[in-house]
Amino acid sequence: MDKSKIIQAPKGTFDILPTEQKYWEKVRRVVALVGAQYGFERIDTPIFEGTDLFERSVGQETDIVEKQMYTFKTKGKDSLTLRPEGTASVVRSYIENGLNSWPQPVRLYYVGPMFRYEQPQSERYRQFHQFGFELIGDSHPIYDAWLINIALVALRELGLHKTVVAINSIGDAKCRPVYRKALVAYYKNKVGQLCEDCKRRYKTNPLRLLDCKEHHCSEVAAKAPNLVDHLCEECRNHFKSVLEYLDEQKISYMLNPHLVRGLDYYTKTVFQLYAEESLEILSGNSNSHKNPLELGGGGRYDMLAQQLGGKNTPALGFAMGIERIISLMRKNNIKVSELKKPEVFLVQLGELGRKKSLTLFEKLREGGIDVVESFGRDNIKSQLRAADKIKVRYAVIVGQKEALEEAAIIREMTSGTQETIPFDKIVNELKKRLRQAPPVSS
Ligand code: AMP
């Protein structure tokens, strides 16, 4: 083992450094706020689950289950998988904890890391984060349109006003098999020209032929029969109502007959949200072979609860990719306030000053003042330079003399004016000064 080799984070993962945290905190805050405003409560499920949960929900013939799961055997020989997505766990929890006895529909949201073994590329990671909203226990199409609105509201609250909604219906257990037959018939003498993945999909999951990103495959898919033309009456009416409710909310959308999404559990409505910059690619007006920047997606999954051993429970939800949202926020220069705005820098001199600065730090903190320490430094100049750098309004200085008198100097950083104040008055004095507007520098 080469011990001098620098160990790096695993491929497709990254650290969220303190400088980035304000974006993450903003997303978490907005998700909690929007959740509360629309009656959704937070749920946290384990980061790993039994592998069969995803095999039965996401689907054995999907890319996620076939190629992308981090699956491992425990010492007890159980097969566990790091969750590749959030919905299956939420529905598992709904069934396991008897949430069907709560007033329906149950509205839940989650935020957390997901894991997929993908080829890392721009905006595609092996550990990434999603927030998701799930509404379980109601089949009315108004909720499909309302949930899309909630996703858009969350994006707007994060400063992302320009997004594109693509929508489709993929039918249900009644009409999808009919469409599947028509699709297989269309592809029958074209399979040879398709990519290796599509050759496999043709046999195992023909619906996925529609959203292959390979250039030639997507050309063939473009002429495939349309799903919406094969919907049964119930699914057609449902879809029509969803579009009407979207119109009512003045939400514009693109109908995308090839939108099927990568997970098997969807029924009826499916949708995806993109950054507006992807509009050209989505409408086929771009020569670029780039994929559109998908921010999130979701849909109805009326059969999932039953697939997982629960009662027949209509439900729907969406998940958004947090890395992509944050990268778009940065690209659009969206201002996010700093997490901590230090107000006071604590400077100490000499051993007695250093000792006293420990209790003074606690006094200031308990008094609600945001204080930064510099316990390890000796030199007053370097401490004042550090205070200047982080732009605090005041430095509080405890030297040998002040420490003996149980007092400290308050120094106004811009003017350099100083005043000695006893320890027991210092919190109130600082609070009084901090309430006043800072002097305008000339
Ligand atoms: P999905 O669960 O596949 O529908 O994905 C929902 C959203 O999660 C996508 O629109 C992306 O924004 C995000 N996402 C999915 N997979 C990844 C990944 N590997 N890396 C980064 N973001 C991802």
Side-chain angles (χ1 to χ4, degrees):
M1 201 192 324
D2 178 4
K3 287 201 177 148
S4 64
K5 194 174 156 218
I6 294 172
I7 297 175
Q8 296 183 326
K11 195 170 163 186
T13 70
F14 58 91
D15 303 308
I16 306 171
L17 295 175
T19 42
E20 293 291 303
Q21 292 292 344
K22 60 181 176 185
Y23 291 98
W24 290 82
E25 193 49 41
K26 172 88 185 174
V27 173
R28 284 191 283 264
R29 261 204 323 271
V30 162
V31 171
L33 176 78
V34 172
Q37 288 172 339
Y38 288 88
F40 287 71
E41 292 176 290
R42 178 161 173 147
I43 183 166
D44 287 290
T45 58
I47 280 181
F48 54 83
E49 298 266 2
T51 303
D52 50 351
L53 173 67
F54 303 113
E55 287 174 349
R56 268 160 74 180
S57 57
V58 174
Q60 282 195 316
E61 270 104 38
T62 57
D63 283 355
I64 292 183
V65 170
E66 275 187 342
K67 302 192 231 163
Q68 298 179 339
M69 293 208 305
Y70 283 93
T71 297
F72 55 97
K73 279 254 177 342
T74 65
K75 286 187 181 141
K77 305 260 184 306
D78 296 320
S79 176
L80 298 177
T81 293
L82 297 183
R83 62 182 185 195
E85 58 101 49
T87 303
S89 305
V90 172
V91 176
R92 192 242 341 112
S93 175
Y94 174 95
I95 299 166
E96 188 174 339
N97 295 298
L99 303 195
N100 60 345
S101 65
W102 291 14
Q104 305 290 301
V106 170
R107 298 150 208 232
L108 302 166
Y109 78 86
Y110 60 83
V111 187
M114 307 293 160
F115 307 85
R116 294 184 196 170
Y117 188 79
E118 309 218 43
Q119 267 332 305
Q121 43 182 284
S122 142
E123 314 286 359
R124 192 169 285 285
Y125 308 99
R126 290 184 172 171
Q127 173 174 326
F128 59 98
H129 298 74
Q130 290 183 334
F131 70 82
F133 282 59
E134 313 288 354
L135 189 143
I136 309 174
D138 202 297
S139 61
H140 203 286
I142 194 166
Y143 280 126
D144 305 33
W146 195 58
L147 219 68
I148 293 175
N149 176 53
I150 296 174
L152 293 173
V153 168
L155 290 175
R156 280 207 298 275
E157 291 288 332
L158 290 165
L160 303 175
H161 295 263
K162 294 180 180 165
T163 41
V164 179
V165 179
I167 190 166
N168 191 23
S169 171
I170 56 167
D172 63 8
K174 255 195 286 167
C175 51
R176 206 178 319 161
V178 182
Y179 174 71
R180 203 180 141 118
K181 259 196 197 142
L183 194 65
V184 170
Y186 166 79
Y187 271 101
K188 196 166 174 212
N189 47 22
K190 299 180 182 66
V191 204
Q193 317 159 15
L194 304 177
C195 72
E196 289 310 307
D197 273 344
C198 279
K199 283 186 183 134
R200 193 172 37 79
R201 286 174 187 139
Y202 174 74
K203 291 204 188 98
T204 56
N205 195 357
L207 232 62
R208 295 299 318 277
L209 291 166
L210 295 175
D211 71 347
C212 181
K213 307 282 186 296
E214 291 285 325
H215 185 59
H216 180 68
C217 298
S218 57
E219 274 180 354
V220 178
K223 298 196 186 96
N226 268 348
L227 234 160
V228 279
D229 298 334
H230 291 76
L231 295 179
C232 61
E233 197 182 347
E234 188 195 325
C235 288
R236 203 168 38 244
N237 288 339
H238 185 96
F239 194 41
K240 192 166 153 266
S241 302
V242 174
L243 300 184
E244 282 168 10
Y245 290 123
L246 285 175
D247 291 338
E248 186 60 33
Q249 297 175 102
K250 305 210 166 24
I251 293 173
S252 37
Y253 49 81
M254 295 174 74
L255 291 174
N256 178 352
H258 290 153
L259 185 62
V260 288
R261 296 192 41 76
L263 309 106
D264 267 1
Y265 52 59
Y266 287 111
T267 45
K268 295 183 177 159
T269 318
V270 287
F271 56 89
Q272 269 171 196
L273 307 175
Y274 301 90
E276 199 202 29
E277 61 187 44
S278 307
L279 191 57
E280 282 211 327
I281 309 174
L282 290 167
S283 48
N285 295 334
S286 162
N287 294 327
S288 147
H289 287 310
K290 263 175 48 184
N291 288 328
L293 181 63
E294 186 198 312
L295 299 175
R300 207 165 245 295
Y301 47 87
D302 290 346
M303 296 187 306
L304 180 55
Q306 234 173 354
Q307 254 163 269
L308 296 180
K311 295 199 182 105
N312 183 3
T313 314
L316 68 159
F318 68 79
M320 308 290 294
I322 301 182
E323 283 78 5
R324 294 188 190 178
I325 289 177
I326 289 178
S327 122
L328 197 59
M329 287 166 73
R330 302 190 75 132
K331 222 187 293 169
N332 293 356
N333 283 324
I334 287 161
K335 291 270 169 297
V336 173
S337 51
E338 297 295 332
L339 289 183
K340 189 172 154 78
K341 282 202 203 93
E343 300 164 306
V344 169
F345 194 100
L346 185 53
V347 177
Q348 84 289 324
L349 283 170
E351 196 43 35
L352 195 56
R354 191 178 339 255
K355 274 190 183 148
K356 285 288 171 196
S357 68
L358 281 171
T359 28
L360 190 54
F361 182 95
E362 287 308 316
K363 227 186 207 348
L364 298 175
R365 183 191 66 76
E366 283 163 12
I369 291 167
D370 221 333
V371 54
V372 181
E373 52 67 39
S374 171
F375 295 140
R377 280 189 230 226
D378 296 317
N379 183 311
I380 184 161
K381 268 198 191 137
S382 83
Q383 293 186 65
L384 287 175
R385 256 200 315 274
D388 230 10
K389 218 170 176 178
I390 57 168
K391 298 193 171 54
V392 287
R393 277 176 70 188
Y394 296 101
V396 169
I397 307 166
V398 198
Q400 188 82 1
K401 177 167 168 283
E402 290 76 26
L404 284 170
E405 291 168 4
E406 297 275 308
I409 298 167
I410 296 183
R411 178 186 173 96
E412 212 275 320
M413 291 300 291
T414 30
S415 62
T417 53
Q418 302 196 155
E419 192 180 347
T420 304
I421 308 282
F423 278 171
D424 56 1
K425 299 220 166 65
I426 204 150
V427 169
N428 282 345
E429 181 60 29
L430 278 168
K431 278 188 162 170
K432 193 175 84 196
R433 293 188 186 203
L434 286 165
R435 269 198 301 273
Q436 292 160 4
V440 183
S441 49
S442 51

